[in-house]
């Protein structure tokens, strides 16, 4: 099937190229014309022979060699190469585009076009180092600079070459006059994590300082600094950093509240934690739902403000109160009391086990680990902790299993 359509493409190519040929033939001097014609005829029949023997690669080689890349045929060559790439026949696309690129005296715009085509061919083939080499050349040409830099960023992110990604983001910022991208802060965080893994804490701190300089609002940098502080036993600093993250983005409460609780337990300061949570909730009522969710999923919370948030959470979910009163008639009426609340919390904790912990707000990808760059849509900062229970999905499990 692939070979048949390759033959068809080559035939189309020949037909298109014939028009260019005809023009060249009419304009060439007689003395040149006869010699050239003889060579072309020999090549033509050799190519045709390969076609008839169903050897499209050899036929393509002959026809590409036979038809000069000149102003009359160049667009046909590009079109054929791009067609092959789109069909996934990347080797053929590369062969054609390389042939164009290597021609002497090629006008600049066609040379750039060939560079771009080759970069796309190698990207499609997954040969990122080759694509990178062509894109680096293309980035020196004003006409394609922005496009080449944007593609290089994606390659360096994929290859986890963070220093290179920073350099290219900065070139891109110069090119577009938009200022440094906040994504650069994530690259510094990646470098900091690498330094931590290599047991180089001072280097990690330096990268985190640069992350903060690149984007003061970067939550990841603050969370990493808090984790380092926990490792060093500086729970006071860790607690301050976790609180700062929650103040900045209450949606991260399910991630940071359990960490905050562990810090205060390590300092033997459970009472202080209760007071802190109470102050935070009165300052930022938006934290209530996050605190309720975190305290339901994470077993360790046990203070008046947390119980108040859970009670509030249950009352605001009619489906939940209905469900609980059906399952345990005493639970709903006892929701204010200790027993009812504990039962509800326990039931919800069991439900939460089937919930993904994180979800990308851009594409919906969900998982149990926070990934700052979504593995599916490649967006940064679009993945967030989930803070709601998927009752329908959870209730559907026993039905499916029956
Ligand atoms: Zn996504």
């Amino acid at each position: 099937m692939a070979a048949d359509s390759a033959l068809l493409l080559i035939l189309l190519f020949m037909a298109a190229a014939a028009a260019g040929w005809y023009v060249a033939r009419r304009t060439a001097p007689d003395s040149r014309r006869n010699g050239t014609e003889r060579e072309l005829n020999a090549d033509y029949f050799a190519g045709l022979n390969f076609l008839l023997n169903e050897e499209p690669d050899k036929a393509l080689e002959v026809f590409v060699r036979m038809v000069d890349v000149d102003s009359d045929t160049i667009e046909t060559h590009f079109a054929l190469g791009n067609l092959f790439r789109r069909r996934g026949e990347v080797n053929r696309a590369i062969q054609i585009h390389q042939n164009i690129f290597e021609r002497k005296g090629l006008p600049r715009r066609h040379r750039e076009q060939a560079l771009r085509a080759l970069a796309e061919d190698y990207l499609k083939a997954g040969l990122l180092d080759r694509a990178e080499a062509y894109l680096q050349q293309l980035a020196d040409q004003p006409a394609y600079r922005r496009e080449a830099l944007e593609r290089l960023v994606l390659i360096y992110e994929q290859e986890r070459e963070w220093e290179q990604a920073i350099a290219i983001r900065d070139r891109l910022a110069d090119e577009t006059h938009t200022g440094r991208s906040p994504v650069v802060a994530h690259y510094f965080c990646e470098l900091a994590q690498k330094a931590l893994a290599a047991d180089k804490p001072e280097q990690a701190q330096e990268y985190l300082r640069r992350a903060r300089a690149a984007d003061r609002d970067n939550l990841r940098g603050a969370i990493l600094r808090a984790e380092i502080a926990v490792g060093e036993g500086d729970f006071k600093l860790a607690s301050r950093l976790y609180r700062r993250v929650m103040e900045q983005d209450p949606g991260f409460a399910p991630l940071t509240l359990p960490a905050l609780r562990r810090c205060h337990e390590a300092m033997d300061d459970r009472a202080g934690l209760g007071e802190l949570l109470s102050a935070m909730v009165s300052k930022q009522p938006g934290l209530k739902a996050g605190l309720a969710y975190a305290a339901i999923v994470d077993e360790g919370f046990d203070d008046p403000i947390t119980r108040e948030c859970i009670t509030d959470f249950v009352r605001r979910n009619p489906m939940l109160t209905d469900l609980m009163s059906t399952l345990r008639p005493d639970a709903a009426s006892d929701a204010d009391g200790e027993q009812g609340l504990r039962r509800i919390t326990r039931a919800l904790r069991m439900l939460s086990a089937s919930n993904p912990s994180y979800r990308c707000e851009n594409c919906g990808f969900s998982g149990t680990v926070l990934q700052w760059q979504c593995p599916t849509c490649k967006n940064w900062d679009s993945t967030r902790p989930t803070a709601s229970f998927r009752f329908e999905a959870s209730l559907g499990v026993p039905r499916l299993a029956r």
Side-chain angles (χ1 to χ4, degrees), residues 85-362:
R85 185 201 312 120
R86 272 203 295 279
R87 291 168 37 78
E89 295 175 58
V90 185
N91 283 342
R92 288 183 178 133
I94 291 172
Q95 188 188 343
I96 291 167
H97 291 138
Q98 192 72 41
N99 186 54
I100 301 173
F101 186 65
E102 283 168 2
R103 292 287 158 148
K104 287 195 173 66
L106 195 67
R108 185 175 163 171
R109 71 186 172 90
H110 285 143
R111 196 181 146 74
E112 291 173 353
Q113 200 180 339
L115 268 176
R116 182 177 184 244
L118 280 164
E120 282 187 35
D121 294 341
Y122 282 109
L123 277 176
K124 177 105 180 187
L127 297 169
L128 299 187
D129 53 338
R130 301 293 298 269
E132 179 199 333
Y134 285 113
L135 288 170
Q136 286 282 10
Q137 289 184 58
L138 203 59
D140 291 332
Q141 315 301 324
Y144 290 101
R145 184 168 297 143
R146 184 173 175 170
E147 181 188 319
L149 293 173
E150 282 170 349
R151 286 178 178 229
L152 279 169
V153 159
L154 296 179
I155 289 179
Y156 292 134
E157 282 185 355
Q158 198 176 330
E159 300 279 272
R160 306 180 66 76
E161 303 263 11
W162 306 113
E163 302 270 13
Q164 304 259 48
I166 292 167
I168 296 296
R169 281 272 182 196
D170 286 347
R171 276 183 74 185
L172 201 52
D174 286 345
E175 180 68 16
T176 52
H177 310 288
T178 48
R180 202 173 208 192
S181 163
V183 170
V184 169
H186 279 290
Y187 300 161
F188 281 120
C189 287
E190 292 283 354
L191 288 166
Q193 282 187 306
K194 221 168 138 183
L196 282 174
D199 202 19
K200 294 178 179 170
E202 281 175 22
Q203 199 180 46
Q205 291 285 10
E206 176 53 31
Y207 282 131
L208 289 173
R209 263 192 290 281
R210 290 196 219 170
R212 194 145 183 245
D215 177 17
R216 285 191 68 81
D217 296 332
N218 184 271
L219 297 177
R220 181 186 186 176
I223 292 171
L224 269 175
R225 289 209 306 282
E227 285 170 359
I228 293 174
V230 167
E232 292 172 346
D234 190 348
F235 299 108
K236 222 170 165 180
L237 172 63
S239 165
R240 201 163 61 235
L241 286 164
Y242 284 130
R243 276 179 279 148
R244 188 192 295 168
V245 170
M246 276 180 284
E247 271 168 27
Q248 202 179 313
D249 191 339
F252 270 74
L255 174 77
T256 45
L257 272 171
L260 182 73
R261 176 182 62 74
R262 286 192 292 273
C263 285
H264 284 265
E265 278 172 6
M267 291 189 284
D268 203 14
D269 182 33
R270 272 186 165 271
L273 174 69
E275 285 167 25
L276 251 174
L277 293 176
S278 191
M280 282 166 70
V281 166
S282 60
K283 189 176 164 193
Q284 217 169 346
L287 262 177
K288 269 190 152 184
L291 176 55
Y293 184 86
I296 288 167
V297 174
D298 179 276
E299 242 175 299
F301 289 91
D302 190 22
D303 52 78
I305 182 66
T306 304
R307 282 194 289 275
E308 185 191 316
C309 289
I310 295 178
T311 309
D312 196 52
F313 180 85
V314 171
R315 282 188 178 154
R316 281 171 190 271
N317 285 272
M319 185 179 168
L320 192 62
T321 42
D322 282 357
L323 177 72
M324 294 316 293
S325 61
T326 311
L327 290 175
R328 287 179 179 273
D330 59 325
S333 59
D334 190 30
D336 284 331
E338 203 75 355
Q339 275 301 98
L341 199 64
R342 284 190 194 282
R343 280 182 195 145
I344 292 166
T345 306
R346 224 171 17 245
L348 286 175
R349 190 170 298 137
M350 280 163 70
L351 281 180
S352 76
S354 60
N355 268 11
S357 312
Y358 300 96
R359 188 173 181 279
C360 171
E361 290 188 337
N362 185 52

Side-chain angles (χ1 to χ4, degrees), residues 359-365 373-379 382-383:
R359 188 173 181 279
C360 171
E361 290 188 337
N362 185 52
C363 73
F365 175 84
Q373 184 182 30
C374 173
T376 305
C377 69
K378 306 293 176 201
N379 266 2
S382 58
T383 300

